[in-house]
Amino acid sequence: MDDTPRAADEKTGLPRRTFLKQSMGLLGGGALMSMLPAGLSSAVWAAGTDGLETTKAKLGFIALTDAAPLFVAEELGLFAKHGMTDVEVLKQSSWGTTRDNLVLGAGSGGIDGAHILTPMPYLMAAGRVTTNNTPLPMCILARLNLNGQGISISKEYADLKLGTDASTFKQAVAAKQAKGQKIAAAMTFPGGTHDLWLRYWMAAGGIEPNKDLPTVVIPPPQMVANMKVGSMDAFCVGEPWNAQLINQNIGYSAVTTGELWANHPEKALSLRADYVSANPNATRALLKAVMEAQMFCEAAANKEQVAEICAKRRWIGAPAKDLLARLQGNFDYGNGRVVENSPHLMRFWSEFASYPFQSHDLWFLTENKRWGYLPKDFDSQALIAKVNREDIWRQAAAELGVPAEQIPQSKSRGVETFFDGKTFDPQNPQAYLDSLALKA
Amino acid sequence: MSKHYLSIEHVEKYFERDGVSSHVLNQINLNVARGEYISIIGHSGCGKSTVLNIVAGLTDSSSGAVILDGREVRGPGPDRSLVFQNHSLLPWLTVQENVALAVDKVFKHKKSKAERRDWTLHHLELVSMGHALHKRPNEISGGMKQRVGIARALAMEPKVLLLDEPFGALDALTRAHLQDEVMRIQSELHNTVIMITHDVDEAVLLSDRIVMMTNGPSATIGEILSIDLPRPRDRIALADDPRYNAYRHAVLSFLHEKQRKVEPLQRRSAAAPADPQRARA
Amino acid sequence: MNAPVKSLALPAGVVAPSWLKRLSKNLMQSVLPPLVITAALMLIWQLLCSGANAALPPPSQVIEDTWELIVNPFYDNGGTDVGMAWQLLASLERVAYGYALAVVVGVALGVLVGQSTWAMRGLDPLFQILRTVPPLAWLPLSLAGFKDSHPSALFVIFITAIWPIIINTSVGIRNIPEDYRNVAKVLRLNGVEYFQKIMLPAAAPYIFSGLRIGVGLSWLAIIAAEMLIGGVGIGFFIWDAWNASRISDIILALIYVGVVGFLLDRLVLFVGNRITRGTSA
């Protein structure tokens, strides 16, 4: 069944009756029952998706290209199509605010779920980044994208022509510091994806984060502004910031993060656990809408339209041309290096981009342990079992009729290999940790 | 029960500051008949304002009492209305509203709204301020403000009208006009009035009796002078009147010869030794 | 009363109504000079920033970039993408609630502190310390306390605006001239009457200068708070524009913010002048 949404100029939703007929065809009753994990109430199947517990949801996002599935879902009426007619997609001012609004919840002027850095729901559920260390149970329903972040370098290091190898950078910043000037590298949230990419890249080049080069949390526009005046040497952030930096002639891209770890997981679609358990049907409806949006964003034919949507003030508001090239996989690194049709472009659906592999969540938690954001004895598996809801993803995929070859067989993507040769075996995370020279 | 309308009996006043007690008033005894116009005159610091404030009820006496119309005075009230040296009109109210404030409060249950309005207007006419009813105090002259103050005080139908150096802040010409006004009003209303003044001419011109106070501390009533000049009194005619001049002389003599006040540069000296003057009722 | 206005040349026989004369005089004196200066500054800005590598966009660029925003202040594209008028109104609404609360509580506390020496001794040091806390620092605390972002934003406004209101009110209350209090005593005004007729009007000029400062601070506080909280509002608009490097949008927003802040200030001044009837502190 071809359920790929058509591009539309205005938000349209299929009338509910047509939709019901469709979904009845999809469900086929008993065969699907066996795919349900134990614990889901049978009331769920009363009348297919007609039993939506609520049509409301508030989802937050940060103005980055990888939130595009949420924009597209809203713009193309996909939420409404799946019965969620009162979804609000709300721009958040920072990752910290996203966190605070998730803690508040929609009932108290906050949000139910968000486009979020994959480690964040874990840190929140473990009570590591919340007020009073109160844990907030969260669920990850899907990965929103693979790749698509960048490490950018100030143009004062243009001659170093940095790429994945950061070792020459070490001397350069040491020299600058010896001259009495401040050095800093910026990322978006401690323990979040950008922080981890930046640290991995630095550590692989022998730079000890914080000791050799301080890493600081800074909002993206300030990263650019600081780099302009020379007080920021490197930063790691999502698109379109890296492209904007080049367009404003302030710096260049050292890497697009796919070069560090091919097809790495990045952002997630996460909801408060209480919303998920109270509204299982609505949760799946939201997820289905996002998944369809991810399929839309993946299709090459739609990239221009995606860029146009992202360019709207309501979503990202940056010029579409800053967004489009890298969306299409054409990377101008800003230092003369240009790669067309890069394999490291941002993926929304291909290569199982949407499926939340538990092995990936394990890597993020392990890496957080590496840098001391989580204690060494932290029980990652137990938390993954609670937070990662790949079971809901599979249900949604089935309901959408996703072809079997686009649904991973296993919850793990197996051994991962990084650009510097290090490997991560999800069966043995400790070995990975032991193999790393620089850690907290 | 004193047969007098207002009697001040054995009033003493001490002020405490920083643990040091100063004896301001010593044995003030004064009887005032109904309809009498009394001036109190003396050097500054002799406590005349204190006497007035005690009669007004704004200050309590340390000992002694003030009896008005058979009742002891406790606390301030409209029966002893005050005209202040600084007019103290409320600047956010118009002339009429200033007087109406007093009238509405005092006669809330005794007169109807229309009656109160007429009462207010009548008193403003009395002081020749009928033309400026809707002006604010910052739009009228000092003399006019003082007239309004007098109107307000009179409108309360006081038993005793207390004037605290009412014309001290005005220029000589305005002062003269207002003195004439007061005399005219007095001839109509026959209020009992106690006025504090520095001005000898004013005291002699307006009063029935002048109470002359000794210098502080422990000031008391030095002499009381009866002014037997017929009313109405014309200042120009009186300028050549020997009796008027004699009275003036007596007051000046008290103030500047008997109660000479010398203030050395370093310290205030003790008051010049007072003659053992006793108040004559 | 006023000198005839020379700014109108009319055909013979036509008499301009006085309000028109006043209006044209006002225009000449108050509106024309700032317009001229502003135009001159815009010209300088345009010249300075016209080069290719200018740090800021010149006015022509700003207008070009923000033309849609300027001509269409009421559009609604969903989410936070709404016209400037909606953004400003959303912020103003928050200010209205937070400021109104600050006025009520602030004046009440100010009266308390002004009236009672004991309260002043106890509360004043606390106020002096708390007023130096920057508005944004209150935000995390209020979020943790209220557990809801809407009252938190209002609280930030409230806690920022309240200090000048309290302090100015208490000064006004404490500075009621003794003469007015004496008038109240003579009239025997009770507590409520004293509060309504003397205390509030006398303190009103001080209260209103506190209110003026408070409204300015409220406006500042909400812009800052919205940058953190998000949602529809001019503060978040600025933050969002910064995030997307839309400098022209920021410049436009700043102009609107300044103008609205100015209008708020004038509004409070106007209301204050009407109520205090021009009696200034």
Side-chain angles (χ1 to χ4, degrees):
Chain A
M1 156 142 344
D2 180 8
D3 229 19
T4 318
R6 305 277 174 238
D9 284 322
E10 66 217 351
K11 297 183 236 174
T12 49
L14 294 176
R16 267 167 84 75
R17 225 177 299 133
T18 326
F19 165 57
L20 276 182
K21 283 207 291 212
Q22 265 192 319
S23 59
M24 280 311 189
L26 280 175
L27 286 178
L32 284 164
M33 287 287 223
S34 57
M35 286 179 66
L36 276 180
L40 254 197
S41 124
S42 56
V44 162
W45 296 103
T49 24
D50 203 17
L52 283 183
E53 307 82 1
T54 173
T55 53
K56 277 203 256 226
K58 287 194 184 172
L59 302 175
F61 71 93
I62 298 286
L64 296 170
T65 312
D66 43 36
L70 290 182
F71 311 155
V72 166
E74 172 74 14
E75 292 270 338
L76 299 189
L78 298 174
F79 290 121
K81 171 183 168 189
H82 290 279
M84 297 297 288
T85 48
D86 294 304
V87 174
E88 290 176 67
V89 184
L90 303 166
K91 193 182 297 195
Q92 307 296 298
S93 49
S94 65
W95 289 119
T97 316
T98 303
R99 172 205 55 209
D100 291 340
N101 279 337
L102 282 168
V103 169
L104 285 176
S108 300
I111 53 182
D112 298 305
H115 149 255
I116 201 167
L117 304 163
T118 298
M120 268 181 80
Y122 283 99
L123 293 171
M124 291 166 71
R128 305 289 299 182
V129 294
T130 47
T131 331
N132 286 337
N133 293 327
T134 317
L136 177 71
M138 298 289 294
C139 294
I140 290 185
L141 302 171
R143 206 74 65 205
L144 281 176
N145 66 315
L146 304 179
N147 306 331
Q149 320 299 300
I151 297 183
S152 291
I153 310 289
S154 163
K155 72 173 173 201
E156 66 183 276
Y157 303 102
D159 50 323
L160 289 182
K161 288 196 184 288
L162 290 170
T164 47
D165 182 1
S167 39
T168 48
F169 195 45
K170 180 175 179 171
Q171 284 103 291
V173 291
K176 183 174 174 188
Q177 195 177 35
K179 279 191 258 167
Q181 292 169 317
K182 273 178 53 174
I183 49 172
M187 43 78 182
T188 55
F189 193 81
T193 57
H194 304 122
D195 187 20
L196 300 179
W197 309 139
L198 187 65
R199 284 167 178 257
Y200 195 98
W201 175 77
M202 293 200 298
I207 305 177
E208 207 170 325
N210 288 339
K211 262 186 78 189
D212 296 330
L213 180 59
T215 53
V216 289
V217 177
I218 294 206
Q222 212 173 319
M223 293 184 191
V224 174
N226 283 359
M227 199 169 268
K228 202 165 179 177
V229 299
S231 58
M232 187 61 60
D233 303 286
F235 62 69
C236 179
V237 75
E239 296 299 343
W241 285 104
N242 304 291
Q244 286 214 310
L245 185 78
I246 295 173
N247 288 347
Q248 291 182 36
N249 203 15
I250 303 173
Y252 65 97
S253 298
V255 294
T256 178
T257 46
E259 294 175 64
L260 300 177
W261 175 9
N263 293 330
H264 69 81
E266 182 47 48
K267 304 289 195 298
L269 174 68
S270 179
L271 288 171
R272 287 171 59 109
D274 58 8
Y275 185 95
V276 173
S277 45
N279 309 299
N281 292 349
T283 302
R284 270 194 340 277
L286 288 172
L287 180 54
K288 285 188 283 187
V290 172
M291 286 163 76
E292 289 192 344
Q294 286 179 286
M295 297 180 213
F296 183 89
C297 292
E298 184 67 39
N302 298 332
K303 298 278 187 189
E304 269 188 48
Q305 189 180 356
V306 172
E308 291 295 332
I309 291 176
C310 290
K312 286 191 182 180
R313 206 180 240 116
R314 179 183 179 188
W315 303 123
I316 301 180
K321 64 168 171 51
D322 283 357
L323 301 157
L324 184 56
R326 290 193 175 202
L327 263 178
Q328 291 172 324
N330 300 324
F331 287 81
D332 176 358
Y333 284 75
N335 59 354
R337 186 177 159 214
V338 174
V339 175
E340 304 261 319
N341 293 320
S342 166
H344 303 302
L345 81 167
M346 195 184 290
R347 297 182 190 280
F348 298 100
W349 185 257
S350 60
E351 305 291 332
F352 305 129
S354 172
Y355 177 76
F357 284 101
Q358 293 191 345
S359 59
H360 289 164
D361 291 2
L362 182 60
W363 183 85
F364 282 116
L365 292 176
T366 309
E367 198 72 358
N368 266 281
K369 283 190 196 176
R370 175 184 179 186
W371 300 114
Y373 293 118
L374 287 173
K376 297 258 185 291
D377 56 359
F378 187 80
D379 189 350
S380 307
Q381 294 292 6
L383 197 57
I384 293 174
K386 286 206 221 129
V387 174
N388 183 299
R389 297 305 302 270
E390 56 88 44
D391 55 303
I392 303 184
W393 190 93
R394 288 183 186 277
Q395 274 178 269
E399 285 174 23
L400 282 178
V402 171
E405 63 270 16
Q406 291 177 17
I407 301 180
Q409 304 275 26
S410 158
K411 298 187 194 171
S412 161
R413 204 170 80 171
V415 174
E416 305 282 348
T417 310
F418 296 84
F419 77 100
D420 55 350
K422 298 271 190 292
T423 56
F424 173 76
D425 180 354
Q427 309 276 40
N428 192 354
Q430 190 56 43
Y432 166 76
L433 271 180
D434 294 335
S435 75
L436 300 163
L438 284 172
K439 35 193 180 223
Chain B
M1 282 276 208
S2 167
K3 56 179 161 40
H4 301 280
Y5 193 57
L6 168 73
S7 71
I8 306 175
E9 294 176 359
H10 305 295
V11 161
E12 304 246 340
K13 182 66 184 171
Y14 292 87
F15 275 121
E16 273 246 358
R17 214 177 80 154
D18 297 337
V20 177
S21 179
S22 58
H23 190 200
V24 177
L25 294 176
N26 179 27
Q27 285 299 313
I28 304 289
N29 289 294
L30 180 65
N31 290 324
V32 179
R34 190 167 185 160
E36 252 198 303
Y37 196 117
I38 303 279
S39 291
I40 304 183
I41 199 166
H43 288 286
S44 22
C46 71
K48 4 186 239 299
S49 285
T50 314
V51 172
L52 202 74
N53 282 342
I54 291 176
V55 175
L58 291 173
T59 316
D60 288 328
S61 56
S62 303
S63 65
V66 176
I67 319 276
L68 172 62
D69 201 10
R71 277 231 194 83
E72 189 176 349
V73 156
R74 280 192 194 290
D79 54 330
R80 286 147 289 128
S81 63
L82 264 170
V83 178
F84 304 85
Q85 181 173 10
N86 302 317
H87 52 88
S88 6
L89 298 182
L90 303 177
W92 54 88
L93 297 178
T94 62
V95 161
Q96 181 174 0
E97 285 166 348
N98 262 292
V99 179
L101 176 73
V103 171
D104 287 338
K105 175 63 184 174
V106 173
F107 296 110
K108 191 163 18 171
H109 303 294
K110 298 190 201 122
K111 291 189 203 274
S112 74
K113 199 160 171 199
E115 284 174 337
R116 279 181 264 140
R117 204 185 71 95
D118 291 339
W119 187 252
T120 303
L121 292 173
H122 165 76
H123 282 87
L124 283 167
E125 288 290 341
L126 196 61
V127 300
S128 313
M129 285 300 291
H131 61 287
L133 295 175
H134 304 295
K135 293 247 187 326
R136 295 254 151 68
N138 63 357
E139 293 168 327
I140 55 180
S141 71
M144 291 191 203
K145 287 193 267 229
Q146 206 55 306
R147 285 175 210 247
V148 177
I150 294 172
R152 179 176 64 187
L154 289 174
M156 297 189 226
E157 260 196 335
K159 292 190 172 152
V160 179
L161 182 66
L162 302 171
L163 306 172
D164 188 348
E165 298 194 45
F167 312 128
L170 304 170
D171 64 276
L173 293 179
T174 316
R175 213 182 304 151
H177 282 141
L178 285 181
Q179 287 162 355
D180 292 340
E181 292 272 303
V182 168
M183 280 198 285
R184 180 180 58 75
I185 295 170
Q186 181 63 354
S187 67
E188 277 183 41
L189 299 180
H190 301 294
N191 279 315
T192 311
V193 183
I194 302 183
M195 179 176 79
I196 307 243
T197 182
H198 270 133
D199 185 337
V200 177
D201 285 293
E202 181 173 278
V204 177
L205 187 62
L206 296 177
S207 326
D208 295 321
R209 281 191 293 155
I210 301 181
V211 172
M212 294 179 272
M213 291 190 60
T214 62
N215 289 340
S218 306
T220 188
I221 295 180
E223 283 179 28
I224 302 189
L225 189 62
S226 278
I227 309 289
D228 286 321
L229 291 171
R231 291 187 188 271
R233 298 178 187 170
D234 179 340
R235 70 177 71 241
I236 298 182
L238 286 174
D240 291 325
D241 189 315
R243 290 168 300 171
Y244 177 84
N245 288 318
Y247 289 132
R248 273 189 84 239
H249 184 99
V251 178
L252 285 170
S253 156
F254 177 89
L255 289 176
H256 298 291
E257 290 169 355
K258 299 176 191 169
Q259 294 295 331
R260 250 172 72 78
K261 189 154 174 163
V262 178
E263 301 226 4
L265 289 169
Q266 300 293 356
R267 272 180 24 240
R268 265 206 230 271
S269 63
D275 294 346
Q277 307 281 350
R278 272 176 54 238
R280 279 186 264 137
Chain C
M1 271 255 223
N2 294 324
V5 175
K6 295 184 178 48
S7 53
L8 287 178
L10 294 166
V14 178
V15 179
S18 65
W19 65 264
L20 189 60
K21 285 186 187 161
R22 262 183 282 130
L23 183 66
S24 88
K25 184 171 176 199
N26 267 335
L27 283 174
M28 296 280 291
Q29 287 185 344
S30 322
V31 178
L32 207 54
L35 273 183
V36 169
I37 297 281
T38 308
L41 287 175
M42 298 274 262
L43 194 61
I44 295 176
W45 174 15
Q46 176 77 28
L47 291 171
L48 282 178
C49 292
S50 288
N53 260 336
L56 289 178
S60 54
Q61 177 83 37
V62 172
I63 295 177
E64 192 185 316
D65 290 340
T66 59
W67 187 245
E68 274 306 306
L69 292 175
I70 296 176
V71 298
N72 211 354
F74 285 103
Y75 73 82
D76 185 344
N77 286 346
T80 53
D81 189 16
V82 296
M84 296 300 278
W86 296 126
Q87 305 275 10
L88 289 165
L89 284 172
S91 301
L92 281 171
E93 188 185 338
R94 295 186 181 108
V95 167
Y97 286 122
Y99 180 67
L101 201 60
V103 169
V104 169
V105 175
V107 171
L109 279 178
V111 168
L112 175 69
V113 169
Q115 275 281 79
S116 155
T117 320
W118 204 88
M120 185 179 85
R121 286 192 194 139
L123 290 172
D124 191 59
L126 197 65
F127 293 162
Q128 296 295 343
I129 292 178
L130 288 177
R131 70 186 269 253
T132 60
V133 176
L136 284 188
W138 288 105
L139 193 57
L141 280 180
S142 66
L143 275 175
F146 286 101
K147 295 207 190 315
D148 190 329
S149 60
H150 301 305
S152 302
L154 300 184
F155 180 76
V156 169
I157 303 172
F158 168 82
I159 204 72
T160 308
I162 201 174
W163 308 118
I165 299 179
I166 294 179
I167 292 172
N168 274 278
T169 304
S170 73
V171 169
I173 300 286
R174 264 181 272 137
N175 278 343
I176 297 177
E178 187 165 0
D179 282 345
Y180 302 169
R181 281 184 267 141
N182 286 342
V183 167
K185 283 187 204 169
V186 170
L187 288 179
R188 292 204 184 129
L189 296 180
N190 63 36
V192 175
E193 289 170 327
Y194 178 65
F195 182 75
Q196 273 180 292
K197 294 183 196 253
I198 309 260
M199 181 180 268
L200 270 192
Y206 293 86
I207 297 179
F208 272 97
S209 58
L211 293 187
R212 256 181 100 187
I213 301 175
V215 85
L217 291 180
S218 299
W219 189 234
L220 289 180
I222 192 55
I223 310 290
E226 282 172 355
M227 288 196 190
L228 289 191
I229 291 177
V232 178
I234 194 73
F236 189 63
F237 177 87
I238 295 175
W239 175 260
D240 192 29
W242 185 39
N243 260 298
S245 295
R246 293 196 300 262
I247 306 290
S248 296
D249 282 15
I250 297 177
I251 295 179
L252 182 74
L254 289 185
I255 294 173
Y256 281 17
V257 164
V259 169
V260 171
F262 170 76
L263 290 175
L264 284 176
D265 179 72
R266 288 293 127 144
L267 182 66
V268 175
L269 180 64
F270 177 73
V271 171
N273 276 341
R274 302 292 304 190
I275 293 187
T276 62
R277 304 190 192 179
T279 58
S280 50

